[in-house]
Amino acid sequence: MGWLSKLLLPGRLRTGPTALLPARPDPKTLLAVAQLADPEARTDGDDILAGGSRIESPVELTGEVLAKLGVPDEDRLWACRIAAEGPLPVDFFDKSLAEGIAYRLGGWSLCQGEPLDPAEDGGDPLVYLPAVPEPEEILPILAESLRHADAVDTARWPEGELIEGVVHVPVRRGRVADVYAGADVLVTVEEGHRLPPAAQTRWPYLTEVAIARVSPVARTEEEAGEDAEPAGAASGAAAADRTEDVTSAEAAPGPLDAGSDSEDAGTSTSTSMGAGSDAAGAQAAEGAEGAEAAEAATSRNDAEGTEDTEDTDGARGALLARAAVALALADGLRGIAADSRGFQIAEVADVLPGGHA
């Protein structure tokens, strides 16, 4: 690469979208990942064409260039820039393509100068369907796939009906057709007028599809608020499964009781031996206090690390559970299960980050 190309490279990559990968991807693996987003993706020389976008061949980046790109603590990454070459099948498909590649290959994505770790945002699994399913079609599948709700939250779902443990809310206004809620998972069926490449390949004769979004009930409640309509609560964009925990770690122990030391100091100020003893005692007390404080800090760090691990495991488990619901719907309704970026999933574990790394 010439000096001029190296000079212009950070600017080209910064505008993105770009996938920043920890290792040079095998061309076959990169093509297989691209075909999850566009089954008709193909190679074109050293590049890959997918959904009206060109995935440029990987370029090695060193620490100096990465620093200019705002990517910290990395000595070397491989960049695959995504360049739109025509009308995109859906809005921001090139950005989703970069994020999806980075997500599955354990890397970063970069767009408009902002580096992003896609692994922090698992998103909501989706199911593309040829038409909005009738309640009689989808309810038996959800009754077997969802953890059952005990009752209808009439404050939130005044029109909801509990059927075999699943709350059905017929919205039928705007883009949202129906909402189905279990104890902890919400399925929102929307009408979609722009077909992603996976749906175009599967149903080339269709001009619109239905999309079932599988999201957490708790998160939707927090985002929507108590006064939000069901349609507004259910049709938000895919967001991260984040659980904010407040750790109530034990505080470091306070200073040791210095009453006896003070008393000794008061009675022995006239002798140098007494002063020396007091100084030694004070140093010992400070040492013990410091050791206990350090031990308490270590305990706090261990507790926070344990809770962070538990939070991560909980988020992964919830994402896997939602993916299982999406796969059950896709299988029962002859649809296509995909992650939040439109990459097809064939198994539950496909929604976890780094699956093709």
Side-chain angles (χ1 to χ4, degrees), residues 222-304:
E222 293 173 0
E223 291 180 351
E226 295 179 356
D227 298 329
E229 295 182 351
S235 61
D241 247 346
R242 297 186 179 93
T243 304
E244 297 181 0
D245 291 325
V246 179
T247 304
S248 56
E250 296 181 358
L256 297 176
D257 185 2
S260 58
D261 292 338
S262 300
E263 184 178 350
D264 291 342
T267 57
S268 58
T269 53
S270 59
T271 63
S272 60
M273 181 65 71
S277 299
D278 291 340
Q283 291 178 357
E286 291 176 359
E289 181 180 336
E292 291 190 16
E295 183 178 353
T298 301
S299 298
R300 283 199 304 274
N301 291 337
D302 290 344
E304 290 173 357

Side-chain angles (χ1 to χ4, degrees), residues 67-91:
K68 293 180 180 179
L69 294 176
V71 180
D73 304 325
E74 294 289 348
D75 296 327
R76 184 174 71 168
L77 292 175
W78 294 85
C80 292
R81 185 171 181 269
I82 314 296
E85 294 200 334
L88 299 177
V90 293
D91 292 340

Side-chain angles (χ1 to χ4, degrees), residues 57-118:
S57 59
V59 176
E60 183 180 9
L61 305 181
T62 58
E64 180 181 355
V65 175
L66 291 172
K68 293 180 180 179
L69 294 176
V71 180
D73 304 325
E74 294 289 348
D75 296 327
R76 184 174 71 168
L77 292 175
W78 294 85
C80 292
R81 185 171 181 269
I82 314 296
E85 294 200 334
L88 299 177
V90 293
D91 292 340
F92 310 114
F93 178 78
D94 53 345
K95 182 175 182 291
S96 297
L97 193 59
E99 291 182 5
I101 291 172
Y103 186 84
R104 291 178 179 261
L105 293 176
W108 297 62
S109 70
L110 185 67
C111 187
Q112 297 181 346
E114 181 181 357
L116 168 72
D117 182 0

Side-chain angles (χ1 to χ4, degrees), residues 120-132:
E120 295 180 355
D121 180 8
D124 294 333
L126 308 172
V127 183
Y128 301 117
L129 301 169
V132 173

Side-chain angles (χ1 to χ4, degrees), residues 124 156-157 186 215-225 230 232-235:
D124 294 333
R156 184 182 181 196
W157 313 114
L186 193 76
S215 58
V217 167
R219 189 186 71 213
T220 306
E221 289 175 348
E222 293 173 0
E223 291 180 351
S235 61

Side-chain angles (χ1 to χ4, degrees), residues 46 140 269 341:
D46 293 333
T269 53
R341 298 172 179 90

